[in-house]
Amino acid sequence: MAKLTIITPTYNRADCLKSCWASLCVQTVRDFQWLIIDDGSTDDTAEVVKAFQSRDEGFSIDFHQKPNGGKHTALNAAHPFIRGDYVVVLDSDDSLTPNAVETILDKWGLFADNPDVGRIIFLKGFTVEEPICYVAHPGVPVDTLREPRIGTAGRDCCDTFRTTLFTKYRFPEYEGERFIGEGAAFFPMELESKGVYFNEVLYLCSYREDGLTKAGRKMRISYPLGGMYNSKVYMHPRLPLKTRIKKGVLYSCYAKFAGVGFGKLLRENPYKFLTVITHLPGRCLASYWRRKHAD
């Protein structure tokens, strides 16, 4: 049985999947399951994956299709099919370094018997010499909610999870909304467990012009219910006050785009005082964004 499951949610990325697959074919350790969730693609993704499956490269490839709903719904759909003890999410337009699987499994071997550790986190980079961020205290269990990620070009990292933790939390799904920030599901995992960082690039990013990262704020305000939920979870008192205030402003901002009034906003958020004091700045921000991002 594979020790690691690599989940790739994909939508109309048949061309990208070929380079993603190529990076898996050169792994120094092949003890993994590649689990591809096709989020309603209309291109030749299925045929491309069948070609991958016809070749024996030493790892299993499982392919499942679903109606289009966004990356978060594809990750939810992956849960029943995960066979590894640990999970890493690999986007279809990205790749792993040749030693990635070996390194992930080696590091998990150090903490497999420590139930406090639910996540081991490596670096993403444009190359192995160009990390997107790094951390100050690698190699020891830390509260990842308060451990600063020191950005060079961003704060994105390569998270790996215990499967028992990953499958415990699902992303909320809202009808008609195809995006929600990953924190919506990852934050509860951070509350429940500690993480261990390693300053080693295992994940190589491409950041396509038509990808979620490049889509930016305009896409996010198109799906405001997800934005509200994601902002609300980060108003939690375990986080620094500066972060909580920022998320409170965003909570009211997205609520404006969603057409949610202040009364309902207050009823559905346990952080009443913070919601009140950030409400007006949030509404002002929404008005500014509406003008700035108007078509």
Side-chain angles (χ1 to χ4, degrees):
M1 177 177 173
K3 295 287 290 182
L4 177 69
T5 293
I6 300 171
I7 303 175
T8 297
T10 187
Y11 173 68
N12 286 347
R13 290 287 187 269
D15 56 334
C16 298
L17 278 171
K18 295 174 184 177
S19 58
C20 186
W21 172 73
S23 79
L24 301 182
C25 291
V26 296
Q27 290 298 308
T28 55
V29 168
R30 309 288 175 90
D31 188 13
F32 64 90
Q33 169 202 19
W34 191 21
L35 174 57
I36 305 169
I37 305 296
D38 183 3
D39 188 39
S41 293
T42 57
D43 63 2
D44 60 341
T45 291
E47 289 72 23
V48 168
V49 174
K50 286 179 183 177
F52 297 159
Q53 291 173 320
S54 68
R55 296 180 52 173
D56 183 6
E57 298 292 344
F59 57 91
S60 65
I61 303 175
D62 294 329
F63 180 65
H64 300 274
Q65 295 172 295
K66 61 176 287 297
N68 180 248
K71 177 181 175 180
H72 62 296
T73 66
L75 291 175
N76 285 345
H79 286 193
F81 308 110
I82 296 171
R83 293 190 277 115
D85 296 325
Y86 311 107
V87 169
V88 63
V89 178
L90 173 64
D91 289 345
S92 55
D93 52 351
D94 296 330
S95 59
L96 295 179
T97 61
N99 66 325
V101 172
E102 181 177 8
T103 302
I104 291 169
L105 294 178
D106 283 349
K107 298 305 184 186
W108 268 111
L110 301 176
F111 296 95
D113 296 328
N114 184 343
D116 292 336
V117 175
R119 300 158 65 235
I120 294 182
I121 305 125
F122 302 91
L123 303 187
K124 291 185 178 182
F126 301 112
T127 69
V128 292
E129 292 85 18
E130 298 177 278
I132 291 173
C133 69
Y134 62 96
V135 296
H137 305 105
V140 294
V142 295
D143 178 357
T144 57
L145 292 174
R146 291 189 173 270
E147 182 71 8
R149 297 183 179 187
I150 305 164
T152 58
R155 295 172 59 80
D156 206 2
C157 286
C158 173
D159 295 69
T160 71
F161 309 86
R162 289 186 192 271
T163 297
T164 51
L165 181 67
F166 184 83
T167 55
K168 187 175 180 179
Y169 298 100
R170 295 174 59 88
F171 289 93
E173 299 183 18
Y174 300 98
E175 186 176 357
E177 295 210 358
R178 296 189 297 278
F179 174 80
I180 189 169
E182 291 186 348
F186 293 176
F187 181 82
M189 301 182 201
E190 293 183 276
L191 283 177
E192 181 174 327
S193 67
K194 291 185 176 181
V196 181
Y197 288 95
F198 288 96
N199 283 326
E200 183 173 353
V201 174
L202 299 184
Y203 188 114
L204 302 177
C205 304
S206 65
Y207 291 138
R208 286 168 57 111
E209 290 299 323
D210 59 347
L212 291 177
T213 302
K214 289 285 188 178
R217 185 176 295 130
K218 189 172 183 179
M219 179 203 65
R220 287 166 170 78
I221 62 180
S222 298
Y223 306 120
L225 294 177
M228 284 179 63
Y229 182 91
N230 198 58
S231 299
K232 182 171 66 175
V233 298
Y234 279 100
M235 294 169 72
H236 194 280
R238 280 272 300 276
L239 291 167
L241 181 59
K242 181 179 179 181
T243 299
R244 298 182 67 206
I245 291 173
K246 175 183 177 182
K247 295 300 182 179
V249 171
L250 289 173
Y251 179 64
S252 288
C253 175
Y254 287 123
K256 177 70 172 178
F257 286 104
V260 177
F262 179 67
K264 183 177 181 181
L265 198 69
L266 199 59
R267 287 194 303 272
E268 295 183 352
N269 194 323
Y271 313 117
K272 308 297 184 187
F273 179 70
L274 191 57
T275 302
V276 170
I277 65 172
T278 57
H279 181 65
L280 182 57
R283 296 295 184 171
C284 292
L285 180 62
S287 296
Y288 170 71
W289 281 359
R290 194 182 298 275
R291 293 193 304 270
K292 182 177 179 181
H293 298 288
D295 291 326

Coordinates of all heavy atoms in Angstrom, one line a residue, residues 229-291:
Y229 N -16.7 33.2 4.6 CA -16.4 32.1 5.5 C -14.9 32.1 5.8 O -14.5 31.9 6.9 CB -16.8 30.8 4.8 CG -16.5 29.6 5.7 CD1 -17.5 29.1 6.6 CD2 -15.3 28.9 5.6 CE1 -17.3 28.0 7.4 CE2 -15.1 27.8 6.5 CZ -16.0 27.4 7.3 OH -15.8 26.3 8.2
N230 N -14.1 32.2 4.8 CA -12.6 32.2 4.9 C -12.2 33.3 5.9 O -11.3 33.1 6.7 CB -11.9 32.3 3.6 CG -10.5 31.8 3.6 OD1 -10.2 30.6 4.0 ND2 -9.6 32.7 3.3
S231 N -12.8 34.5 5.7 CA -12.4 35.6 6.6 C -12.8 35.3 8.0 O -12.1 35.7 9.0 CB -13.0 36.9 6.0 OG -12.6 37.2 4.7
K232 N -14.0 34.8 8.2 CA -14.5 34.6 9.5 C -13.7 33.6 10.3 O -13.4 33.8 11.5 CB -16.0 34.1 9.5 CG -16.6 33.9 10.9 CD -18.1 33.6 10.7 CE -18.4 32.3 10.1 NZ -19.8 32.0 10.1
V233 N -13.2 32.5 9.7 CA -12.4 31.6 10.4 C -11.1 32.2 10.9 O -10.6 31.8 12.0 CB -12.1 30.3 9.7 CG1 -13.4 29.6 9.3 CG2 -11.3 30.5 8.4
Y234 N -10.6 33.2 10.2 CA -9.3 33.8 10.6 C -9.5 35.0 11.5 O -8.6 35.7 11.8 CB -8.5 34.2 9.3 CG -7.8 33.1 8.7 CD1 -8.3 32.4 7.6 CD2 -6.6 32.6 9.2 CE1 -7.6 31.3 7.0 CE2 -5.9 31.6 8.6 CZ -6.4 30.9 7.5 OH -5.8 29.9 7.0
M235 N -10.7 35.2 12.0 CA -10.9 36.1 13.1 C -10.8 35.4 14.4 O -11.1 36.0 15.5 CB -12.3 36.7 12.9 CG -12.5 37.6 11.7 SD -14.2 38.0 11.3 CE -14.5 39.2 12.7
H236 N -10.3 34.2 14.5 CA -10.2 33.4 15.7 C -9.2 34.0 16.7 O -8.1 34.6 16.3 CB -9.7 32.0 15.3 CG -9.9 31.0 16.4 ND1 -9.0 30.9 17.4 CD2 -10.8 30.1 16.6 CE1 -9.3 29.9 18.2 NE2 -10.4 29.4 17.7
P237 N -9.5 34.0 18.0 CA -8.6 34.6 19.0 C -7.2 34.0 19.1 O -6.4 34.6 19.7 CB -9.4 34.5 20.3 CG -10.4 33.4 20.0 CD -10.7 33.5 18.6
R238 N -7.0 32.9 18.5 CA -5.6 32.3 18.6 C -4.7 33.1 17.7 O -3.4 33.0 17.8 CB -5.6 30.9 18.1 CG -6.1 29.8 19.1 CD -4.9 29.3 19.9 NE -3.9 28.7 19.1 CZ -3.9 27.4 18.7 NH1 -5.0 26.6 19.0 NH2 -2.9 26.9 18.0
L239 N -5.2 33.9 16.8 CA -4.4 34.6 15.8 C -4.0 36.0 16.4 O -4.7 36.6 17.2 CB -5.1 34.8 14.5 CG -5.3 33.4 13.7 CD1 -6.2 33.6 12.6 CD2 -3.9 33.0 13.2
P240 N -2.9 36.6 15.9 CA -2.6 38.0 16.3 C -3.7 39.0 16.0 O -4.5 38.8 15.0 CB -1.3 38.3 15.4 CG -0.8 37.0 15.1 CD -2.0 36.1 14.9
L241 N -3.8 40.0 16.8 CA -4.9 41.0 16.7 C -4.9 41.6 15.3 O -6.0 41.9 14.7 CB -4.8 42.0 17.8 CG -5.9 43.1 17.8 CD1 -7.3 42.4 17.9 CD2 -5.7 44.1 18.9
K242 N -3.7 42.0 14.8 CA -3.6 42.6 13.5 C -4.3 41.8 12.4 O -5.0 42.3 11.5 CB -2.2 42.9 13.2 CG -1.9 43.6 11.8 CD -0.5 43.8 11.6 CE -0.2 44.5 10.2 NZ 1.2 44.8 10.0
T243 N -4.0 40.4 12.4 CA -4.6 39.5 11.5 C -6.1 39.5 11.6 O -6.9 39.5 10.6 CB -4.0 38.1 11.6 OG1 -2.6 38.2 11.4 CG2 -4.7 37.1 10.7
R244 N -6.6 39.4 12.9 CA -8.0 39.3 13.1 C -8.8 40.6 12.6 O -9.9 40.5 12.1 CB -8.3 39.2 14.6 CG -7.6 37.9 15.2 CD -8.0 37.7 16.7 NE -9.4 37.5 16.9 CZ -10.0 37.9 18.0 NH1 -9.4 38.4 19.0 NH2 -11.3 37.6 18.1
I245 N -8.2 41.7 12.8 CA -8.8 43.0 12.4 C -8.9 43.0 10.8 O -9.9 43.4 10.2 CB -8.0 44.2 12.9 CG1 -8.2 44.3 14.4 CG2 -8.5 45.5 12.2 CD1 -7.4 45.4 15.1
K246 N -7.8 42.6 10.2 CA -7.8 42.6 8.7 C -8.9 41.7 8.2 O -9.6 42.0 7.3 CB -6.4 42.1 8.2 CG -6.3 41.9 6.7 CD -4.9 41.4 6.3 CE -4.9 41.2 4.8 NZ -3.6 40.6 4.4
K247 N -9.0 40.5 8.8 CA -10.0 39.5 8.4 C -11.4 40.0 8.7 O -12.4 39.7 7.9 CB -9.7 38.2 9.0 CG -8.4 37.5 8.5 CD -8.4 37.3 7.0 CE -7.1 36.6 6.6 NZ -7.0 36.4 5.1
G248 N -11.6 40.8 9.8 CA -12.9 41.3 10.1 C -13.3 42.3 9.0 O -14.5 42.4 8.6
V249 N -12.4 43.1 8.6 CA -12.6 44.1 7.5 C -13.1 43.3 6.2 O -14.0 43.7 5.5 CB -11.4 45.0 7.2 CG1 -11.6 45.8 6.0 CG2 -11.1 45.9 8.4
L250 N -12.3 42.3 5.9 CA -12.6 41.5 4.7 C -14.0 40.8 4.8 O -14.7 40.6 3.9 CB -11.5 40.5 4.4 CG -10.2 41.1 3.9 CD1 -9.1 40.0 3.9 CD2 -10.4 41.7 2.6
Y251 N -14.3 40.4 6.1 CA -15.6 39.7 6.3 C -16.8 40.6 5.9 O -17.7 40.2 5.2 CB -15.7 39.3 7.8 CG -17.0 38.6 8.2 CD1 -17.3 37.4 7.7 CD2 -17.8 39.2 9.1 CE1 -18.5 36.8 8.1 CE2 -19.0 38.6 9.6 CZ -19.3 37.4 9.0 OH -20.5 36.8 9.4
S252 N -16.7 41.9 6.4 CA -17.8 42.8 6.0 C -17.7 43.2 4.6 O -18.7 43.5 3.9 CB -17.7 44.0 6.9 OG -18.1 43.7 8.2
C253 N -16.5 43.3 4.0 CA -16.3 43.6 2.6 C -17.0 42.6 1.7 O -17.8 42.9 0.8 CB -14.8 43.7 2.3 SG -14.5 44.0 0.6
Y254 N -16.7 41.3 1.9 CA -17.3 40.3 1.1 C -18.8 40.2 1.3 O -19.6 39.9 0.4 CB -16.6 38.9 1.4 CG -15.2 38.8 0.9 CD1 -14.2 38.5 1.7 CD2 -15.0 38.9 -0.5 CE1 -12.9 38.4 1.2 CE2 -13.7 38.8 -1.0 CZ -12.6 38.5 -0.1 OH -11.4 38.4 -0.6
A255 N -19.2 40.5 2.6 CA -20.7 40.5 2.9 C -21.4 41.5 2.0 O -22.5 41.3 1.6 CB -20.9 40.7 4.3
K256 N -20.8 42.6 1.8 CA -21.4 43.6 0.9 C -21.6 43.1 -0.5 O -22.6 43.3 -1.1 CB -20.5 44.9 0.9 CG -20.9 46.0 0.0 CD -22.2 46.7 0.5 CE -22.5 47.9 -0.4 NZ -23.7 48.6 0.1
F257 N -20.6 42.4 -1.0 CA -20.7 41.8 -2.4 C -21.8 40.7 -2.4 O -22.4 40.5 -3.4 CB -19.4 41.3 -2.9 CG -18.4 42.4 -3.3 CD1 -17.3 42.7 -2.4 CD2 -18.5 43.0 -4.5 CE1 -16.4 43.7 -2.8 CE2 -17.7 44.0 -4.8 CZ -16.6 44.4 -4.0
A258 N -21.9 40.0 -1.3 CA -22.9 38.9 -1.2 C -24.3 39.4 -0.9 O -25.2 38.6 -0.9 CB -22.5 37.9 -0.1
G259 N -24.4 40.7 -0.6 CA -25.8 41.3 -0.3 C -26.3 40.8 1.1 O -27.5 40.8 1.4
V260 N -25.3 40.6 2.0 CA -25.7 40.2 3.4 C -25.7 41.4 4.3 O -24.7 42.2 4.4 CB -24.7 39.2 3.9 CG1 -25.0 38.8 5.4 CG2 -24.7 37.9 3.0
G261 N -26.8 41.6 4.9 CA -27.0 42.8 5.8 C -26.3 42.6 7.1 O -25.9 41.5 7.5
F262 N -26.2 43.8 7.8 CA -25.4 43.8 9.1 C -26.0 42.9 10.1 O -25.3 42.2 10.9 CB -25.3 45.2 9.6 CG -24.5 45.3 10.9 CD1 -23.2 45.0 10.9 CD2 -25.2 45.7 12.1 CE1 -22.4 45.1 12.1 CE2 -24.5 45.7 13.3 CZ -23.1 45.5 13.3
G263 N -27.3 42.8 10.2 CA -28.0 42.0 11.2 C -27.6 40.5 11.1 O -27.2 39.9 12.1
K264 N -27.7 40.0 9.9 CA -27.4 38.6 9.6 C -25.9 38.4 9.8 O -25.4 37.4 10.4 CB -27.8 38.2 8.2 CG -27.5 36.8 7.9 CD -28.0 36.4 6.5 CE -27.8 34.9 6.2 NZ -28.2 34.5 4.9
L265 N -25.1 39.4 9.4 CA -23.6 39.3 9.5 C -23.3 39.1 11.0 O -22.4 38.3 11.3 CB -23.0 40.6 9.0 CG -21.6 40.7 8.6 CD1 -21.3 39.9 7.4 CD2 -21.1 42.1 8.4
L266 N -23.9 39.9 11.9 CA -23.6 39.8 13.3 C -24.1 38.5 13.9 O -23.4 37.9 14.7 CB -24.2 41.0 14.0 CG -23.7 41.4 15.4 CD1 -22.2 41.7 15.3 CD2 -24.4 42.6 15.9
R267 N -25.3 38.1 13.5 CA -25.8 36.8 14.1 C -25.0 35.6 13.7 O -24.8 34.7 14.6 CB -27.2 36.6 13.5 CG -28.3 37.5 14.1 CD -29.7 37.0 13.8 NE -29.9 36.8 12.3 CZ -30.4 37.8 11.5 NH1 -30.6 39.0 12.0 NH2 -30.6 37.6 10.3
E268 N -24.3 35.6 12.6 CA -23.6 34.4 12.1 C -22.1 34.4 12.5 O -21.4 33.5 12.1 CB -23.8 34.3 10.6 CG -25.2 34.0 10.2 CD -25.4 33.8 8.7 OE1 -24.5 33.9 8.0 OE2 -26.6 33.4 8.3
N269 N -21.7 35.4 13.2 CA -20.3 35.5 13.6 C -20.1 35.6 15.1 O -20.7 36.5 15.7 CB -19.6 36.8 12.9 CG -18.1 36.8 13.0 OD1 -17.5 36.3 13.9 ND2 -17.5 37.3 11.9
P270 N -19.4 34.7 15.7 CA -19.3 34.7 17.1 C -18.4 35.8 17.7 O -18.4 36.1 18.8 CB -18.6 33.3 17.4 CG -17.8 33.0 16.2 CD -18.7 33.5 15.0
Y271 N -17.7 36.5 16.8 CA -16.8 37.5 17.2 C -17.5 38.9 17.0 O -17.2 39.7 16.1 CB -15.5 37.5 16.4 CG -14.9 36.1 16.4 CD1 -14.8 35.4 15.1 CD2 -14.6 35.4 17.5 CE1 -14.3 34.1 15.1 CE2 -14.1 34.1 17.5 CZ -14.0 33.4 16.2 OH -13.5 32.1 16.2
K272 N -18.5 39.1 17.9 CA -19.4 40.3 17.8 C -18.7 41.6 17.8 O -18.9 42.4 16.9 CB -20.4 40.2 18.9 CG -21.2 38.9 19.1 CD -22.0 38.5 17.8 CE -22.8 37.2 18.1 NZ -23.4 36.7 16.9
F273 N -17.9 41.9 18.8 CA -17.2 43.2 18.9 C -16.3 43.5 17.7 O -16.4 44.6 17.2 CB -16.4 43.2 20.2 CG -15.7 44.6 20.4 CD1 -16.4 45.7 20.7 CD2 -14.3 44.6 20.3 CE1 -15.8 46.9 20.9 CE2 -13.7 45.9 20.5 CZ -14.4 47.0 20.8
L274 N -15.6 42.5 17.3 CA -14.7 42.7 16.2 C -15.5 42.9 14.9 O -15.1 43.7 14.1 CB -13.8 41.4 16.0 CG -12.6 41.5 15.1 CD1 -11.7 42.7 15.4 CD2 -11.8 40.2 15.1
T275 N -16.6 42.2 14.8 CA -17.4 42.5 13.6 C -18.0 43.9 13.6 O -18.0 44.5 12.5 CB -18.6 41.5 13.6 OG1 -18.1 40.1 13.6 CG2 -19.5 41.6 12.4
V276 N -18.4 44.4 14.7 CA -18.9 45.8 14.8 C -17.9 46.8 14.4 O -18.1 47.7 13.6 CB -19.5 46.0 16.2 CG1 -19.8 47.5 16.4 CG2 -20.7 45.2 16.5
I277 N -16.7 46.7 15.0 CA -15.7 47.8 14.8 C -15.1 47.7 13.4 O -14.5 48.7 12.9 CB -14.6 47.7 15.9 CG1 -13.8 46.4 15.8 CG2 -15.2 47.9 17.3 CD1 -12.5 46.4 16.7
T278 N -15.2 46.6 12.7 CA -14.6 46.5 11.4 C -15.6 46.6 10.3 O -15.3 46.6 9.1 CB -13.8 45.1 11.2 OG1 -14.7 44.0 11.5 CG2 -12.6 45.1 12.1
H279 N -16.9 46.8 10.7 CA -18.0 46.7 9.7 C -17.9 47.9 8.7 O -17.9 47.7 7.5 CB -19.3 46.8 10.4 CG -20.5 46.7 9.4 ND1 -20.7 45.7 8.6 CD2 -21.4 47.7 9.1 CE1 -21.8 45.9 7.8 NE2 -22.2 47.1 8.1
L280 N -17.8 49.1 9.2 CA -17.7 50.3 8.3 C -16.5 50.3 7.4 O -16.6 50.5 6.2 CB -17.8 51.6 9.2 CG -17.8 52.9 8.4 CD1 -18.9 52.9 7.4 CD2 -17.8 54.1 9.3
P281 N -15.3 50.0 8.0 CA -14.1 49.9 7.1 C -14.3 48.9 6.0 O -13.9 49.1 4.8 CB -12.9 49.6 8.0 CG -13.4 50.1 9.3 CD -14.9 49.9 9.4
G282 N -14.9 47.8 6.3 CA -15.2 46.7 5.3 C -16.1 47.2 4.2 O -15.9 46.9 3.1
R283 N -17.2 47.9 4.6 CA -18.1 48.4 3.6 C -17.4 49.4 2.7 O -17.6 49.5 1.5 CB -19.3 49.0 4.3 CG -20.1 48.1 5.1 CD -20.8 47.0 4.2 NE -21.7 46.1 4.9 CZ -22.5 45.3 4.4 NH1 -22.6 45.1 3.1 NH2 -23.3 44.5 5.2
C284 N -16.6 50.3 3.3 CA -15.8 51.3 2.5 C -14.9 50.6 1.5 O -14.7 51.0 0.4 CB -15.0 52.2 3.4 SG -16.1 53.3 4.4
L285 N -14.2 49.5 2.0 CA -13.3 48.7 1.1 C -14.1 48.1 0.0 O -13.6 48.1 -1.2 CB -12.6 47.7 1.9 CG -11.6 46.8 1.2 CD1 -10.5 47.6 0.6 CD2 -11.1 45.6 2.1
A286 N -15.3 47.6 0.2 CA -16.1 47.0 -0.8 C -16.4 48.0 -1.9 O -16.4 47.8 -3.1 CB -17.4 46.4 -0.2
S287 N -16.8 49.3 -1.5 CA -17.1 50.3 -2.4 C -15.9 50.7 -3.3 O -16.0 50.8 -4.5 CB -17.6 51.6 -1.7 OG -18.8 51.3 -1.0
Y288 N -14.7 50.7 -2.7 CA -13.5 51.0 -3.4 C -13.2 49.9 -4.4 O -12.9 50.1 -5.6 CB -12.3 51.1 -2.4 CG -11.0 51.2 -3.1 CD1 -10.6 52.3 -3.9 CD2 -10.1 50.1 -3.0 CE1 -9.4 52.3 -4.5 CE2 -8.8 50.2 -3.6 CZ -8.5 51.3 -4.4 OH -7.3 51.3 -5.0
W289 N -13.3 48.6 -4.0 CA -13.0 47.5 -4.9 C -14.0 47.5 -6.0 O -13.7 47.1 -7.1 CB -13.1 46.2 -4.1 CG -11.8 45.9 -3.3 CD1 -10.7 46.6 -3.3 CD2 -11.6 44.7 -2.5 NE1 -9.8 46.0 -2.4 CE2 -10.3 44.9 -2.0 CE3 -12.4 43.6 -2.1 CZ2 -9.8 43.9 -1.1 CZ3 -11.8 42.7 -1.3 CH2 -10.5 42.8 -0.8
R290 N -15.3 47.8 -5.7 CA -16.3 47.8 -6.8 C -16.0 48.7 -7.9 O -16.1 48.4 -9.1 CB -17.7 48.1 -6.2 CG -18.8 47.7 -7.1 CD -20.2 48.1 -6.5 NE -20.4 47.4 -5.3 CZ -21.0 46.2 -5.2 NH1 -21.2 45.5 -6.3 NH2 -21.2 45.6 -4.1
R291 N -15.5 49.9 -7.5 CA -15.1 50.9 -8.5 C -13.8 50.5 -9.2 O -13.7 50.5 -10.5 CB -14.8 52.3 -7.8 CG -16.1 52.9 -7.3 CD -15.8 54.4 -6.9 NE -14.7 54.5 -6.0 CZ -14.8 54.5 -4.7 NH1 -16.0 54.4 -4.1 NH2 -13.8 54.6 -3.9

